[in-house]
Amino acid sequence: MMKSEETIKGKILFTQEQIWERAKEMGDEISRDYEGEELIVIGTLKGAIIWMSDILKNLTLDTKIDFISASSYGSGTTSSGVVKITKDIHMDLFNRNVLIIEDIIDTGTTLKFLKDYIAERNPKSVKICTLLDKPSRRKADVQGDYIGFTVDDLFVIGYGLDYDQKFRNLPYISYLEG
């Protein structure tokens, strides 16, 4: 159901229906890639929760889930470059397939740190599934293995993505104009 024009925040890039369709396609692809194997799905808090839920609903695998939270921003709006884990995972990842679910790959600084951090636990594999990829801002050498949509250098909100902790609950992805 589309919201009325007055309630839409920003300009819509991707509707809920488009996101659901992409989650189904990606869930099918991930299920084929890991067929017959267990998969540990690790969501990055807070932004990836809604996307992670959609992906999980479309997996036909034996899955376990956990969450991790890290930040390189502190209280500012620009990255400090120093990544801190604020909520760690508690599963044994040794020789297990791990899929990190992310809301957006922007500069890649935090995600690169997380991928390396998880790799230190000697998993069988570590891959990344992201709702959005913004390659124009990439600073760290990290790529998504499963990418929902590629976006330009826009300030995106909705579907878990926020502006000052607001708009995460929008059922679509839009962007705010400067």
Side-chain angles (χ1 to χ4, degrees):
M1 180 166 97
M2 182 56 88
K3 301 233 179 219
S4 70
E5 218 39 57
E6 313 74 70
T7 61
I8 293 174
K9 306 291 186 220
K11 296 190 177 186
I12 294 179
L13 290 171
F14 306 105
T15 66
Q16 187 173 43
E17 292 75 17
Q18 289 173 305
I19 298 166
W20 284 344
E21 181 59 34
R22 191 67 184 115
K24 181 177 180 350
E25 292 168 0
M26 292 172 69
D28 290 346
E29 182 181 356
I30 294 164
S31 294
R32 280 192 306 273
D33 289 353
Y34 292 99
E35 187 175 349
E37 299 187 50
E38 181 183 72
L39 182 64
I40 296 178
V41 178
I42 299 175
T44 59
L45 294 174
K46 302 175 184 169
I49 285 182
I50 298 170
W51 175 240
M52 180 176 173
S53 174
D54 286 352
I55 291 294
L56 286 169
K57 287 182 239 177
N58 287 288
L59 295 179
T60 57
L61 305 164
D62 181 13
T63 59
K64 293 183 179 177
I65 66 170
D66 205 343
F67 296 93
I68 194 164
S69 182
S71 178
S72 63
Y73 287 88
S75 60
T77 57
T78 58
S79 175
S80 67
V82 177
V83 179
K84 295 179 182 167
I85 301 286
T86 56
K87 190 251 179 258
D88 205 346
I89 52 176
H90 300 287
M91 287 187 183
D92 177 14
L93 303 180
F94 180 77
N95 203 29
R96 310 284 262 302
N97 293 306
V98 175
L99 182 66
I100 302 169
I101 305 280
E102 180 65 289
D103 55 355
I104 186 168
I105 305 175
D106 194 344
T107 65
T109 303
T110 302
L111 191 55
K112 170 84 167 98
F113 175 88
L114 287 178
K115 188 173 182 182
D116 292 346
Y117 180 77
I118 288 170
E120 289 174 4
R121 297 179 184 201
N122 299 309
K124 182 176 181 180
S125 68
V126 180
K127 290 190 177 181
I128 297 167
C129 171
T130 186
L131 173 57
L132 300 176
D133 185 25
K134 195 187 295 186
S136 64
R137 294 198 13 105
R138 195 81 77 246
K139 292 180 180 176
D141 184 21
V142 64
Q143 303 297 320
D145 299 286
Y146 305 97
I147 297 170
F149 304 96
T150 300
V151 294
D152 293 328
D153 189 8
L154 302 168
F155 195 94
V156 289
I157 57 169
Y159 227 80
L161 297 143
D162 73 302
Y163 169 68
D164 197 24
Q165 297 297 325
K166 296 175 187 160
F167 309 123
R168 287 189 195 277
N169 61 320
L170 295 176
Y172 50 84
I173 295 171
S174 63
Y175 68 95
L176 298 176
E177 294 183 299

